Amino acid sequence: AARTPRPAVSVAPEGEALAWKGHAPRQSSLPFRPDGKVDYESIDQSPVSQVLMGTVRNLLADATGHDSRTPGYDGVMELVREVNDTE
């Protein structure tokens, strides 16, 4: 009897997103601001995110010699662009 080929990525059963088993994880989307950019405010408010963002921001500020005046994710991305432009 011929076997039916398995799809490369299967859909996870309801309530399970087992990407390590090949299931496609459920997708979610961040909200957008009126100007069309992604709104990271909900992420920026998380304590874990604040610690991680602060650590990365300090490393980037050390690399550039200054910090950005722009708060949150947008400020970190300004520093990232500046570091990338120097390499």
Side-chain angles (χ1 to χ4, degrees):
R3 295 177 115 185
T4 304
R6 277 184 27 183
V9 176
S10 60
V11 176
E14 187 63 35
E16 294 184 61
L18 305 174
W20 63 274
K21 283 189 167 183
H23 298 147
R26 287 184 297 291
Q27 300 295 312
S28 64
S29 179
L30 294 170
F32 288 93
R33 299 187 303 206
D35 65 2
K37 293 183 179 179
V38 175
D39 184 0
Y40 291 98
E41 189 174 326
S42 62
I43 292 174
D44 289 344
Q45 292 174 0
S46 160
V48 172
S49 182
Q50 289 176 6
V51 169
L52 294 174
M53 189 77 74
T55 302
V56 170
R57 188 177 190 121
N58 288 336
L59 292 169
L60 290 166
D62 287 347
T64 61
H66 65 88
D67 197 357
S68 170
R69 293 178 187 225
T70 307
Y73 180 83
D74 290 335
V76 171
M77 292 313 297
E78 283 181 11
L79 294 170
V80 166
R81 284 189 286 277
E82 189 170 337
V83 168
N84 284 341
D85 287 347
T86 61
E87 292 183 1

